[in-house]
Amino acid sequence: MELSSFSSLRNAAYVVHPRKVRAELLKTLQEDRDSMQADYRARNYYLQGGRLLWVDRNGVDQRADTLLAYLREMKAVGFSPNKFCVASITADLNRLRALQFDKSQHSIHQVLGRLEYHLTKAFFRYATGQQFGFTNPYVLFNKLDVKERDSLNVSYYRLFDIPMARPTKNYWKNLCKQTHPDSLTNFIHHIQPTNPLYQVFKNYLAQQGRSTNSVKTLCNLERTRWRLKDNLFAQDKYVMVNIPAMELLAIDHEQVMRMRVGVGTNTTKTPLLSSRIMRMDVNPQWVMPKSIIDKSVARHAGDSAYFENHRYFIRNRETGNRVDPRQVTSEMLRSGQYFVIQEGGKGNAMGRIVFRFKNNFAVYLHDTSSRGVFDQSNRGVSHGCVRVEKPFELAVFLLKDKDEELIEKMRYSMQADIHSHYQKKLTATSNLPNDTLQESKLINSVRVQPAVPLYITYYTLYPNEQHGMREYQDIYGFDAVIYKQLKNYLR
């Protein structure tokens, strides 16, 4: 759009030269040292010759006021409005509308150039933050814990694997189109967070004022901006594990079942993910992680009594054949060429049932033989899996049809001593004593149909049933990582 209409004004101070406006715009952006992604995108847009978005032959219209009203609201979510150029935009709008220009720092070209750049920069910051979040958890959490490091490369443990929307390649170009008069208001309304907890945390922040606890609220408020592609609040029936609470919620419409859980330690964190629970395996075998083999088992190589007492057996990875414990050495076990497996049943580290779901980490929900863990306040105890306090109750919850015969078989199988049954299967004989075991009631696996959504989340604040707020310790330090990024918008 041209600015030639300003030229009809007789006062030379009001004569507008479009090239001078763009020159002042470029001067403003070159002086800008802010380094958020939105800032780079705003600068690149103009450096690549992008047209003016806000300033036209009529000056600056009501779109600036619409955007400014939303920018001022950022104070209600704990951010500084001036991180969205509110003071500068307001001052320059007032100068423009009152025709209060001078030849020093506020000529008409300087005012229009600053307005154009600051409106675009503020719009880019606001739109991307409200639509996708002001932080990117893929970057923050997946480059947090070092897995391996050498002189050339560093690899990290993946801790966040929840599908979510992020700006695409063409997002910024499309964002510019949303500044049109017939698009802006609808677009800003569309990008507001839809997570119902957003308003809950926003209200809670207003109650807190400037208290030190607001840091935690800001971090949880930010989590509600992330546009997760699989939203638990869209489900009627689901299972949610909240790691800081060390608690599992099983929700079926209005019914809520709670139980304690054990989660990964700070060095073997439970990853954040979403999936579907598809199957329950009763009396599962436990395939031991190599880290445990190296630390606790390898030194017992050759001791058949140790392996028998723990119900461990050894299998060659390549051939699948069982190997006599007396024939292996510590070096063989540490080589990674052998599985150490604990047979299912009583005393198994995974307990009597495991809840399986697709994920990229080989983690599961499962029972445990170490029941005392649920009496501890700190239940960060696992290698990444989630240990559940009430495995049988969770199994029944997952069933769509509560078939009493199936439930009884599950109950029986989770309580029965199946060691003799297990040994019979291994030896393919039928003359082992088995006087009390009712093999017809044993069940190995149950499909969950339909599969039940599972969400492993991380909220250090969460509403309770009395409409209050429960606060939890930031056990993995994720709040600290988020807050470090959010400080770019706080002052």
Side-chain angles (χ1 to χ4, degrees):
M1 301 291 287
E2 298 294 334
L3 300 174
S4 57
S5 63
F6 277 96
S7 300
S8 63
L9 295 174
R10 294 184 178 180
N11 190 325
Y14 304 149
V15 176
V16 176
H17 300 281
R19 289 184 180 179
K20 291 185 178 180
V21 173
R22 183 169 287 275
E24 292 296 339
L25 184 160
L26 293 175
K27 180 179 178 182
T28 301
L29 70 84
Q30 288 167 355
E31 294 173 349
D32 185 7
R33 296 293 181 265
D34 287 340
S35 57
M36 307 305 291
Q37 184 185 31
D39 308 328
Y40 285 119
R41 295 290 183 171
R43 289 195 287 268
N44 286 341
Y45 170 75
Y46 291 112
L47 290 172
Q48 293 174 7
R51 67 178 181 84
L52 303 184
L53 299 176
W54 308 89
V55 175
D56 61 24
R57 67 183 62 193
N58 298 311
V60 178
D61 59 25
Q62 294 300 313
R63 290 174 299 149
D65 299 284
T66 298
L67 177 60
L68 198 55
Y70 281 97
L71 298 179
R72 287 180 175 133
E73 282 298 309
M74 297 310 290
K75 185 176 182 180
V77 294
F79 290 170
S80 168
N82 288 334
K83 288 297 182 177
F84 299 86
C85 308
V86 167
S88 174
I89 293 171
T90 301
D92 279 335
L93 276 177
N94 290 337
R95 291 186 185 99
L96 180 65
R97 289 166 179 170
L99 299 178
Q100 294 178 344
F101 307 119
D102 57 48
K103 295 182 180 180
S104 58
Q105 296 181 352
H106 307 304
S107 71
I108 190 168
H109 300 109
Q110 290 172 317
V111 169
L112 289 172
R114 286 197 303 258
L115 275 172
E116 174 67 28
Y117 177 65
H118 288 151
L119 284 166
T120 299
K121 173 182 174 177
F123 179 59
F124 277 25
R125 279 192 165 197
Y126 178 85
T128 53
Q130 288 296 90
Q131 190 167 10
F132 302 108
F134 291 91
T135 61
N136 184 347
Y138 281 105
V139 174
L140 295 183
F141 301 145
N142 292 335
K143 290 190 175 181
L144 185 61
D145 286 3
V146 174
K147 185 176 183 180
E148 295 179 352
R149 185 196 302 269
D150 58 32
S151 58
L152 297 177
N153 300 299
V154 179
S155 64
Y156 297 87
Y157 287 101
R158 192 171 179 84
L159 300 175
F160 186 94
D161 195 30
I162 303 176
M164 60 179 287
R166 294 298 303 165
T168 62
K169 180 179 179 181
N170 294 322
Y171 173 76
W172 308 94
K173 182 186 297 184
N174 294 330
L175 195 57
C176 293
K177 296 178 181 178
Q178 302 303 327
T179 62
H180 292 172
D182 57 350
S183 304
L184 183 65
T185 301
N186 288 337
F187 175 73
I188 292 179
H189 177 75
H190 172 73
I191 65 174
Q192 299 306 311
T194 57
N195 187 323
L197 289 179
Y198 179 76
Q199 192 61 48
V200 174
F201 290 138
K202 185 176 176 181
N203 293 340
Y204 188 64
L205 183 66
Q207 297 171 14
Q208 289 180 302
R210 293 183 175 273
S211 71
T212 55
N213 290 335
S214 63
V215 170
K216 186 163 288 189
T217 312
L218 290 174
C219 293
N220 288 280
L221 191 59
E222 170 65 5
R223 291 182 174 98
T224 66
R225 295 188 186 97
W226 299 339
R227 295 298 174 109
L228 308 184
K229 294 184 177 180
D230 188 2
N231 186 355
L232 68 87
F233 296 104
Q235 310 293 341
D236 293 324
K237 181 176 180 178
Y238 62 91
V239 173
M240 183 187 85
V241 174
N242 186 13
I243 292 175
M246 302 182 195
E247 182 178 63
L248 179 149
L249 299 180
I251 311 291
D252 189 353
H253 292 82
E254 300 300 320
Q255 297 183 349
V256 181
M257 178 173 64
R258 298 176 181 269
M259 65 185 72
R260 296 181 175 188
V261 297
V263 298
T265 67
N266 196 47
T267 55
T268 55
K269 297 179 176 70
T270 297
L272 309 186
L273 58 85
S274 62
S275 187
R276 297 286 189 275
I277 300 176
M278 306 174 66
R279 192 175 84 242
M280 301 180 283
D281 292 341
V282 184
N283 292 313
Q285 293 181 345
W286 177 43
V287 181
M288 193 177 297
K290 186 176 182 301
S291 60
I292 297 181
I293 295 175
D294 293 345
K295 181 179 179 180
S296 304
V297 178
R299 66 177 182 270
H300 297 285
D303 185 352
S304 59
Y306 169 84
F307 284 83
E308 182 177 351
N309 291 338
H310 289 82
R311 297 183 180 180
Y312 296 160
F313 62 92
I314 303 169
R315 194 180 295 279
N316 186 298
R317 283 179 180 265
E318 183 176 349
T319 66
N321 296 330
R322 286 170 62 96
V323 180
D324 189 329
R326 293 171 294 183
Q327 304 302 314
V328 298
T329 65
S330 298
E331 290 73 19
M332 291 170 64
L333 290 181
R334 291 192 175 99
S335 71
Q337 297 177 5
Y338 297 87
F339 291 113
V340 177
I341 303 170
Q342 186 179 40
E343 68 178 68
K346 184 178 180 180
N348 183 280
M350 298 186 75
R352 306 304 290 264
I353 188 169
V354 59
F355 305 89
R356 300 198 183 274
F357 48 91
K358 292 182 179 178
N359 68 92
N360 295 318
F361 307 94
V363 299
Y364 306 100
L365 273 62
H366 63 81
D367 182 22
T368 178
S369 57
S370 303
R371 305 298 301 173
V373 68
F374 301 113
D375 295 326
Q376 301 173 194
S377 57
N378 180 5
R379 296 189 292 281
V381 293
S382 80
H383 282 75
C385 286
V386 177
R387 305 178 187 180
V388 299
E389 180 185 21
K390 304 173 184 177
F392 177 73
E393 290 86 342
L394 180 59
V396 174
F397 167 86
L398 294 172
L399 297 174
K400 179 182 179 182
D401 301 316
K402 312 301 183 188
D403 181 274
E404 291 298 330
E405 183 178 355
L406 174 60
I407 291 173
E408 180 54 34
K409 285 184 176 181
M410 291 172 60
R411 186 197 310 274
Y412 179 80
S413 299
M414 290 175 64
Q415 295 175 347
D417 183 355
I418 65 166
H419 184 57
S420 58
H421 172 78
Y422 183 86
Q423 291 299 317
K424 181 190 292 187
K425 289 175 65 178
L426 289 179
T427 59
T429 63
S430 57
N431 57 359
L432 291 173
N434 196 18
D435 297 334
T436 60
L437 189 65
Q438 302 177 47
E439 296 195 29
S440 63
K441 295 181 65 174
L442 292 179
I443 190 168
N444 295 321
S445 186
V446 179
R447 293 188 65 185
V448 178
Q449 294 180 313
V452 174
L454 167 69
Y455 305 91
I456 300 182
T457 63
Y458 195 99
Y459 283 102
T460 52
L461 284 176
Y462 208 79
N464 60 27
E465 295 175 338
Q466 291 74 40
H467 305 290
M469 196 70 71
R470 291 284 302 276
E471 181 176 337
Y472 305 104
Q473 185 178 354
D474 181 21
I475 60 173
Y476 290 167
F478 287 174
D479 275 7
V481 175
I482 293 174
Y483 185 67
K484 182 179 180 180
Q485 192 81 356
L486 292 182
K487 285 196 294 185
N488 288 291
Y489 301 96
L490 298 184
R491 53 182 188 274

